[in-house]
Amino acid sequence: MWHADRDEDDVSDGVHLHKPHAQYVSGLLWCPRSLQALYSSSYDGTVKCLHIERRAFVTEFYSETHEISAFTTDASNAANLWLGTTTGALGAYDTRAGRLSAPIAPRHAKKVNTLSLDTHGRDWLLASAATDASVQVWDVRSLRKPLVAMPLPRASQAAEWAPDGSSRLVVTCFDDRLRVVSLAAAADAAAASSAKAPKAASAPPSRTIQHNTQ
């Protein structure tokens, strides 16, 4: 933890070191409702929360069988943790109820690298980026099949929603290109179609930007 705006003559160097996990730390996220809580996930199968005022880490989720490689929380309900694993599984855990709110099941062929909810637009859209060279967009109200599937030439490390409510998604890929994808129309059409798990829609990028992702 870095105290970036400390006084130059402060006796502290502004660094507070914590080691709450036993393995690789795969994610950090401030609680959307309070900057007094910092969530972290790890390959050790846990998601923990650092309560700043209490100066204590609390284990919010633990699994003996899953290595957590990505996570996010609902903006309106930080108690609901969306989890991705090193084997490509995806699910959700309700920390208040102490149970899975969506079973952790295979969704990608390889590791999930990023999970992102469209919290400023269609808050039921969840994007998952994975090492299997795909990005998928899910309706969190029903995870049977993705609403939108985006195959890529190489692995994707990240997919993040625009904060302006436009439901645009920026996607990284190891082919040195960033892709901006407008998903509002495709997601609405897929969600409104047959309840019998329709085929995932495709969504070509509206803009491609050269960027060294190596």
Side-chain angles (χ1 to χ4, degrees):
M1 304 287 289
W2 302 84
H3 186 186
D5 60 350
R6 73 188 190 286
D7 295 332
E8 290 186 7
D9 59 353
D10 196 308
V11 294
S12 167
D13 60 6
V15 178
H16 301 272
L17 177 63
H18 306 277
K19 194 175 181 180
H21 295 286
Q23 293 189 46
Y24 178 84
V25 176
S26 55
L28 286 173
L29 182 67
W30 289 104
C31 175
R33 295 178 300 170
S34 170
L35 293 182
Q36 294 299 316
L38 177 67
Y39 290 91
S40 59
S41 64
S42 172
Y43 282 15
D44 64 9
T46 65
V47 176
K48 297 192 177 186
C49 182
L50 170 60
H51 295 273
I52 304 297
E53 292 180 339
R54 292 161 51 187
R55 299 183 182 181
F57 283 91
V58 175
T59 299
E60 301 286 356
F61 172 82
Y62 172 68
S63 172
E64 293 184 350
T65 57
H66 297 292
E67 296 180 339
I68 306 303
S69 57
F71 86 106
T72 191
T73 66
D74 293 352
S76 59
N77 178 17
N80 202 42
L81 302 174
W82 288 94
L83 308 168
T85 77
T86 56
T87 60
L90 175 64
Y93 183 79
D94 187 331
T95 60
R96 291 177 181 171
R99 59 177 177 81
L100 290 171
S101 50
I104 300 176
R107 310 291 179 183
H108 286 272
K110 294 183 179 179
K111 182 179 71 167
V112 178
N113 293 313
T114 302
L115 293 175
S116 177
L117 279 164
D118 187 12
T119 54
H120 297 282
R122 294 159 176 78
D123 60 4
W124 41 271
L125 291 180
L126 174 72
S128 58
T131 302
D132 65 0
S134 76
V135 168
Q136 301 191 48
V137 178
W138 308 85
D139 183 341
V140 298
R141 299 167 297 186
S142 175
L143 290 175
R144 292 170 299 170
K145 288 187 178 180
L147 293 180
V148 178
M150 287 177 276
L152 297 167
R154 298 187 65 184
S156 175
Q157 285 294 112
E160 296 288 347
W161 296 99
D164 61 1
S166 63
S167 292
R168 290 175 299 161
L169 190 71
V170 62
V171 175
T172 71
C173 180
F174 277 124
D175 68 347
D176 292 339
R177 287 177 174 83
L178 305 180
R179 292 165 173 81
V180 179
V181 188
S182 298
L183 290 170
D188 288 345
S193 63
S194 172
K196 296 181 180 179
K199 181 180 178 181
S202 60
S206 58
R207 187 177 181 189
T208 302
I209 304 165
Q210 290 289 127
H211 179 73
N212 186 347
T213 54
Q214 306 304 314

